[in-house]
Every structure is written in C-alpha cells, then in structure tokens.
C-alpha cells in the first residue's frame, strides 16, 4: 500500500513546491527507516513551510545515514534513544512495527516530544489507553496517522450522510485486499510478536466503517479468519460482521473484509493493488467511497472528485495535497496550539483498538501482543 501511495503522490509533486521553512517550523525526527516514510512524512513535509525534518534514526547507523542522504535530512542516528535525546526535535513520527508503537510513543512523550504514530495506533486497546494517559500526563500531542480521514473528500462524503438527504444509513461493506505473495514471509506484517496480520495492516476498513457511520458503539457479531500458513496466530484474511449503534441510536450492519494474501481465483491474476473502499447503503442512495453516489429513485450514478477545500477545510488546501499533507497540516497546527481543522481524538483511537481486539477474539486468535501491554 505504501508503494502505491508513494508513486501516486510523488508523481503529483514537483520539486518547485519545496519552499523555505518558517523560523518556528515544527522540527520533526523520524523514528525508523520504514518504506512508508517517503509518502507519509518526507514528501508532504517538503511543501509545508511550518514543518521540517531534522533527523532520522535506525537501529543501524548505516541505515539511518542512507535514509538521511536519500531525503536530505541533516542528522542520522544509530539508535532510537539518540533521536529522543535530541533537544532540537519537537515531534517524532513513529513508523516502527505495530507491536512497538506504544513503547516508543510513550518514551518519546516522556522526553518532551509530540508523537504522530502510524496506523494502527498500537497492538491492543490497553496500549492505546496507556499512550493517551501518558499524553495527558506529559501535556504532549499524540495522534494516530489515519491520513485518509483528513482529506476533504472524506468530509464531503460524511456531510452527505449526516445531512439526512438520502435517509438513514442501513448497512456498509468495507474491503481491502493485497494480491497473493505480495508480502514475503519475512515481512513484519506476518510477525505475531510484532502485532502483524491483515486486520492490523488493513485497519482502514474498521476505521472507515466507524467514521462514516458516526459510531457510538460497535458490537462484533462474528469474525472468521483465514490463518497465515506459516503462523496460525496471524490472520492472512479476516471476515467480520459488526453492528454499529450511531449517535442517533440507529443500528447499522457493517461487513468488513481484509486480505493480505488474496488467492488467485479461477486462474485469474488479481489486480496489483486494491485500494481501501467502503460502500454505504442509505435509504435513498448508495455511496461508494471513493468513487460515486447512486440515487436509488433514479438509478443515476454521479461521479465526484474533491481534492481540496470541502466542509472542514473551507479555503485551506490545494488540489495536489495528498491525504498525508492534510494530516501534517492539522498535526503541526495542533502542536503549535492552533486550530487543527480536523482531528482523530483519543476516544476514537481507543475504540478503534477495542473493535480490533474483539474481532481477533471472536475469530479465536486472541488480541495482538504489544511491547508495553501483552496479549
């Protein structure tokens, strides 16, 4: 997924967009040299005058130096601790494996740094609570990097649902799949001890379901996994049915499907990547995010594109901004005590992990272990 986003975004970004930085720009350190860094932090920050990357760290100095050279980052550290000890860093972007998120988020905040944590926030709900408890204790900002939720298109779709124009939401279906053998067996996504698995990596399905339904409470009715052949504790795929109670007291049935190793069917090779999608059935229309709205009375489908502005951003944003660029805009504002425009609150991230924990429990796999709070 990271490679798809990186290719799409870098293709839209021109070198001329790299501008000078403000004197009070948020100084960011990158914790790990993960592939996602280019799309999630390096490229969006290039065009943000209020944010600059000052350091990157890896467990091996040579790896950090390679990343620093590739992206023009001033400092490289051969340990995560050195990055956290740097007094010139205001915030840490954390892209280590899922099972280590909580450990390094907590350590970062205790050294006075704000944290932007790659999704999923951590390994389980207890770790999520621990992260936000420390954020409160240290007066630091902690944000789960659900970048898609910051984009104007998501807000437009949600405004259609919330308007009541198309009636009540009845049911949803969210899916995300990755073709078979796309992930080598040594990939961290297949590591139980690092909180790997399809539901963790493709957590967009749970996130979008909860966001668009205005979820107040989610009950996992059923969940079944297709275990990874080399480790049955890890889900290669997951089917789950949820019942969502929204903020109006309505009950919505929601189906999710994740697959990190989608089998070839009938000898047909699947698409290279299938981006996350969700279909929302309303009384009078069907909304398919990210493509169209179909009016049930007329049968007419309307295709829409919303790259900037929208209900939340109003006059802020550019058509070439990626989802990550919008996220960094809000994160930087919040760290500086300004209006973040859009935000993923602590309660939302905690509920997200509670739902994931319950999906794993219902599937008989048990919740994922973490480095701070075990399974």
């Amino acid at each position: 997924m990271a490679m798809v986003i990186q290719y799409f975004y870098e293709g839209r970004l021109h070198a001329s967009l790299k501008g000078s930085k403000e004197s009070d720009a948020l100084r960011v350190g990158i914790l790990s040299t993960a592939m996602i860094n280019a799309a999630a932090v390096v490229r969006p920050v290039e065009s943000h005058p209020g944010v600059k990357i000052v350091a990157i760290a890896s467990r091996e100095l040579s790896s950090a130096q390679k990343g620093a050279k590739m992206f023009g980052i001033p400092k490289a550290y051969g340990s995560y601790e050195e990055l956290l000890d740097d007094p010139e860093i205001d915030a840490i972007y954390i892209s280590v494996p899922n099972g280590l998120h909580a450990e390094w988020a907590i350590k970062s905040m205790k050294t006075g740094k704000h944290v932007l944590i790659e999704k999923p926030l951590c390994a389980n709900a207890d770790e999520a609570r621990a992260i936000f408890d420390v954020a409160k204790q240290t007066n630091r900002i902690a944000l789960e990097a659900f970048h898609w939720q910051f984009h104007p298109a998501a807000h437009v779709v949600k405004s259609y649902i919330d308007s009541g124009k198309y009636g009540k939401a009845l049911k949803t279906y969210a899916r995300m799949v990755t073709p078979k053998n796309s992930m080598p067996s040594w990939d961290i996504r297949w590591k139980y001890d690092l909180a790997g698995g399809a539901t963790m990596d493709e957590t967009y399905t749970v996130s979008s379901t909860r966001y668009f339904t205005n979820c107040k409470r989610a009950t996992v009715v059923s969940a079944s996994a297709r275990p990874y052949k080399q480790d049955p504790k890890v889900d290669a795929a997951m089917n789950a049915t949820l019942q969502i109670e929204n903020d109006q007291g309505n009950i919505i049935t929601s189906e999710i499907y994740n697959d990190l190793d989608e089998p070839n069917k009938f000898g047909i090779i699947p698409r290279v990547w299938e981006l996350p999608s969700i279909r929302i059935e309303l009384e009078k229309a069907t909304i398919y995010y990210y493509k169209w709205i179909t009016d049930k009375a007329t049968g007419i489908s309307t295709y829409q594109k919303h790259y900037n502005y929208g209900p939340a951003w109003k006059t802020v944003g550019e058509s070439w901004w990626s989802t990550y660029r919008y996220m960094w805009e809000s994160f930087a504002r919040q760290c500086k005590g300004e209006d973040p425009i859009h935000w993923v609150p602590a309660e939302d991230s905690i509920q997200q992990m509670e739902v994931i924990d319950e999906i794993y429990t219902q599937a008989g796999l048990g919740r994922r272990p973490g480095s701070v709070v075990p399974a």
Side-chain angles (χ1 to χ4, degrees), residues 148-360:
W148 72 270
Q149 197 183 118
F150 288 80
H151 197 275
H155 304 157
V156 170
V157 168
K158 195 167 188 302
S159 72
Y160 289 160
I161 297 169
D162 293 347
S163 70
K165 176 181 178 180
Y166 299 108
K168 297 177 182 178
L170 304 174
K171 57 184 179 179
T172 66
Y173 176 66
R175 64 178 273 128
M176 183 177 177
V177 301
T178 303
K180 190 173 184 62
N181 298 324
S182 296
M183 307 292 177
S185 59
W186 49 260
D187 192 280
I188 60 172
R189 294 168 179 83
W190 298 127
K191 305 301 181 185
Y192 174 75
D193 292 341
L194 295 177
T199 308
M200 296 295 283
D201 189 65
E202 298 178 339
T203 183
Y204 298 100
T205 55
V206 177
S207 173
S208 60
T209 294
R210 294 178 48 258
Y211 177 72
F212 287 123
T213 59
N214 290 312
C215 178
K216 179 180 179 181
R217 186 176 296 105
T219 301
V220 180
V221 178
S222 63
S224 60
R226 186 179 78 241
Y228 181 51
K229 290 182 179 179
Q230 297 189 36
D231 188 345
K233 299 188 297 298
V234 176
D235 53 320
M238 182 74 76
N239 271 300
T241 300
L242 282 62
Q243 282 208 332
I244 305 292
E245 180 184 347
N246 69 9
D247 53 5
Q248 299 297 314
N250 300 320
I251 302 299
I252 302 161
T253 299
S254 297
E255 304 284 340
I256 69 166
Y257 177 66
N258 301 315
D259 199 332
L260 266 181
D261 198 34
E262 184 189 28
N264 297 340
K265 297 178 181 178
F266 311 112
I268 299 174
I269 298 175
R271 286 171 282 186
V272 177
W273 289 95
E274 184 172 323
L275 298 177
S277 64
I278 182 168
R279 187 176 69 242
I280 305 132
E281 292 286 347
L282 305 167
E283 291 176 311
K284 300 178 182 179
T286 299
I287 298 178
Y288 180 75
Y289 184 73
Y290 51 103
K291 288 185 178 179
W292 65 71
I293 300 175
T294 301
D295 188 300
K296 290 184 176 179
T298 65
I300 296 174
S301 295
T302 303
Y303 294 78
Q304 301 185 15
K305 295 180 180 180
H306 300 277
Y307 289 128
N308 56 335
Y309 308 136
W313 294 95
K314 311 271 184 210
T315 60
V316 177
E318 300 291 344
S319 61
W320 51 264
W321 279 17
S322 70
T323 53
Y324 290 105
R325 178 62 175 80
Y326 278 101
M327 179 180 68
W328 276 100
E329 185 73 21
S330 279
F331 182 68
R333 289 178 181 225
Q334 183 79 316
C335 290
K336 295 178 180 180
E338 302 171 2
D339 174 18
I341 300 183
H342 181 74
W343 199 250
V344 180
E347 300 77 20
D348 187 84
S349 290
I350 291 170
Q351 188 187 76
Q352 173 79 4
M353 294 312 305
E354 288 174 339
V355 173
I356 290 174
D357 283 355
E358 185 58 25
I359 288 173
Y360 276 119

